[in-house]
């Protein structure tokens, strides 16, 4: 049985952990070496955040490697597969913009999350900038890159609504204000990139809105299997 | 209707249309701390100057090596020719009076 303290650090830590793992999947596959290093840097920043946050909720290794799928509280957005490079950038743009706004708010507060948020917000600002720079270049690039970037934004749009659902323990956050600020920023960047902000519901017909309750999408099981199999096969192994 | 989502396993598909070698080469100069001058750190590929600066940040300053970065298109660097080495550099070799070896360097001045 894994001891888990009820704290908002758990869902936020799961976001960072799972997105870190997804970005790590680019190692050896990124379009160019320079970009591979950039994605790995972002992944490592997120892993560092995850370690601090999960340690507030319990034992970081137990939480990462021994929980079942239904016990993870991350957003469904961050577990979505990397897809092509445009999908990865769209996921980064949506999530980093959200994370920066949320951490800015938390950093100004008094909660146990304030110190971590204050440190992480500088990292996240860079993640958001990285995603914005690529969004602009892909959107305002060739016909092919524009088409792919728009397709990625449209595909992931249905997972963005969940970000603004209230999180237990973060009652001081005004989620509607956060949502407005997020929409303003993303709209501005997409305009600069000659892309169109997707229309339609920000949640899927049956899946979205449930990651925080432990309901995840199909690709998440395979991600967990890869992330956890070593620890489960060789408990306590060291090198 | 299910929610569309990106498929797995396409990470390497379709990436072959743009070769990274299409991107220009940039020379990176890093100032390691205030008071020192920028020093050549290496080179990298990037589509434009802004991205070159970001790539340089990730490649050359991730272990706190710098406080400032310059990137310069490699094509803008005019280099001396190895063939002209003798006429360029040798005449300075036997002129020790050009070296400021006759001054006492005060304690605490490290980067003179």
């Amino acid at each position: 049985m894994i001891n888990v303290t009820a704290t908002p650090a758990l869902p936020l830590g799961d976001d960072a952990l799972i997105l870190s793992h997804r970005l790590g999947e680019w190692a050896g596959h990124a379009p160019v070496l320079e970009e591979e290093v950039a994605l790995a840097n972002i992944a490592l920043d997120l892993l560092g955040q995850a370690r601090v946050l999960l340690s507030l909720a319990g034992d970081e290794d137990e939480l990462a490697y021994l929980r079942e799928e239904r016990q993870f509280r991350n957003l469904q957005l961050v577990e979505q597969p990397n897809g092509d490079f445009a999908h990865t950038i769209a996921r980064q743009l949506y999530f980093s913009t959200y994370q920066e706004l949320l951490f800015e708010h938390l950093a100004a507060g008094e909660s146990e999350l304030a110190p971590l948020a204050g440190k992480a917000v500088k990292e996240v600002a860079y993640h958001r900038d990285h995603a914005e720079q690529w969004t602009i270049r892909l959107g305002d690039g060739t016909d092919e890159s524009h088409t792919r970037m728009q397709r990625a934004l449209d595909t992931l749009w249905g997972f963005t609504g969940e970000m603004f659902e209230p999180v237990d323990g973060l009652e001081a956050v005004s989620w509607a204000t956060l949502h407005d600020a997020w929409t303003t920023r993303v709209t501005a960047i997409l305009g600069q990139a000659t892309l169109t902000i997707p229309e339609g519901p920000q949640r899927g017909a049956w899946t979205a809105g449930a990651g925080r309750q432990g309901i995840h999408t199909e690709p998440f099981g395979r991600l967990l299997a890869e992330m956890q199999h070593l620890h489960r096969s060789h408990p306590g192994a060291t090198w | 209707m299910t929610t569309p989502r990106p498929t797995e396993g396409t990470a390497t598909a379709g990436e072959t249309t743009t070769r990274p070698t299409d991107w220009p080469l940039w020379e990176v100069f890093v100032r390691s701390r205030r008071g020192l001058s920028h020093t050549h750190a290496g080179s990298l590929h990037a589509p434009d100057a802004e991205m070159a600066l970001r790539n340089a940040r990730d490649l050359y300053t991730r272990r706190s090596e710098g406080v400032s970065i310059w990137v310069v298109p490699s094509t803008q660097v005019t280099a001396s020719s190895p063939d002209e080495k003798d006429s360029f550099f040798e005449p300075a070799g036997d002129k020790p009076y050009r070296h400021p070896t006759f001054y006492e360097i005060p304690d605490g001045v490290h980067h003179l």
Side-chain angles (χ1 to χ4, degrees), chain A residues 50-84:
Chain A
R51 293 191 61 183
V52 175
L53 288 164
L54 293 182
S55 295
L56 293 171
D59 180 278
E60 53 175 318
D61 283 338
E62 281 188 3
L63 290 171
Y65 294 126
L66 295 176
R67 270 183 301 164
E68 304 289 337
E69 180 174 331
R70 292 292 292 267
Q71 296 172 300
F72 278 84
R73 292 290 178 266
N74 55 282
L75 298 163
Q76 292 181 348
L77 175 68
V78 298
E79 75 202 29
Q80 296 311 304
N82 287 332
D84 63 11

Side-chain angles (χ1 to χ4, degrees), chain A residues 22 26 29 32 34 37-38 41 44 80-81 83-85 87 126 129 133-134 137 155 204-207 217 219 222, chain B residues 1-8 10-15 20 23 44-45 47-48 50-51 54-55 57-59 62:
Chain A
R22 275 294 185 220
W26 275 108
H29 300 285
V32 294
E34 285 83 352
V37 176
N41 267 339
L44 284 173
Q80 296 311 304
D84 63 11
F85 189 66
H87 281 94
Y126 186 80
D129 176 76
Q133 296 293 331
W134 272 116
R137 280 162 181 76
T155 302
W206 59 277
T207 51
T217 54
R222 290 193 287 279
Chain B
M1 191 190 131
T2 57
T3 308
R5 64 175 75 100
T7 52
E8 285 189 283
T10 56
T12 54
E15 309 290 346
W23 288 358
L44 52 77
H45 288 98
D48 55 49
E50 286 300 310
M51 294 304 282
R54 286 163 176 79
N55 288 346
R57 178 261 196 193
D58 286 332
L59 285 167
R62 55 196 295 263

Side-chain angles (χ1 to χ4, degrees), chain A:
Chain A
M1 191 61 203
I2 300 168
N3 290 316
V4 186
T5 311
T7 162
L10 184 70
L12 302 187
D14 282 349
D15 285 348
L17 175 68
I18 300 306
L19 186 58
S20 167
H21 189 84
R22 275 294 185 220
L23 290 173
E25 291 174 359
W26 275 108
H29 300 285
V32 294
L33 183 63
E34 285 83 352
E35 193 51 35
E36 182 160 310
V37 176
L39 291 171
N41 267 339
I42 295 171
L44 284 173
D45 285 346
L46 289 166
L47 191 63
Q49 296 169 17
R51 293 191 61 183
V52 175
L53 288 164
L54 293 182
S55 295
L56 293 171
D59 180 278
E60 53 175 318
D61 283 338
E62 281 188 3
L63 290 171
Y65 294 126
L66 295 176
R67 270 183 301 164
E68 304 289 337
E69 180 174 331
R70 292 292 292 267
Q71 296 172 300
F72 278 84
R73 292 290 178 266
N74 55 282
L75 298 163
Q76 292 181 348
L77 175 68
V78 298
E79 75 202 29
Q80 296 311 304
N82 287 332
D84 63 11
F85 189 66
H87 281 94
T88 294
I89 293 302
R91 192 182 59 203
Q92 285 301 108
L93 179 72
Y94 287 158
F95 181 75
S96 300
T97 305
Y98 157 81
Q99 201 189 22
E100 187 185 10
L101 290 166
L102 180 58
F103 280 9
E104 275 173 357
H105 181 89
L106 295 176
E110 304 272 310
S111 74
E112 60 172 356
L113 302 180
L116 176 273
K119 179 170 174 290
V121 78
K122 296 193 200 83
E123 298 171 347
V124 178
Y126 186 80
H127 305 170
R128 194 240 324 132
D129 176 76
H130 173 265
E132 289 179 352
Q133 296 293 331
W134 272 116
T135 301
I136 291 166
R137 280 162 181 76
L138 294 173
D140 197 13
T142 64
D143 288 346
E144 175 74 9
S145 70
H146 179 91
T147 305
R148 282 178 181 245
M149 195 63 224
Q150 188 65 56
R151 181 176 65 193
L153 291 163
D154 294 345
T155 302
L156 293 170
W157 184 248
F159 295 100
T160 56
E162 188 186 9
M163 296 191 290
F164 309 104
E165 294 289 325
V167 174
D168 287 343
L170 295 183
E171 280 72 23
V173 177
S174 166
W175 297 95
T177 309
L178 197 72
H179 195 166
D180 288 344
W182 181 89
T183 306
T184 304
R185 275 198 194 183
V186 171
T187 305
I189 289 299
L190 297 192
Q192 215 180 322
T194 73
L195 294 159
T196 315
I197 190 147
E199 290 178 5
Q202 283 179 273
R203 60 200 68 232
W206 59 277
T207 51
R212 295 277 189 237
Q213 286 83 51
I215 311 293
H216 296 282
T217 54
E218 189 181 334
F220 189 51
R222 290 193 287 279
L223 179 153
L224 275 193
E226 186 173 308
M227 191 176 82
Q228 295 185 334
H229 91 270
L230 192 70
H231 188 90
R232 287 182 184 272
S233 306
H234 304 280
T238 56
W239 61 13

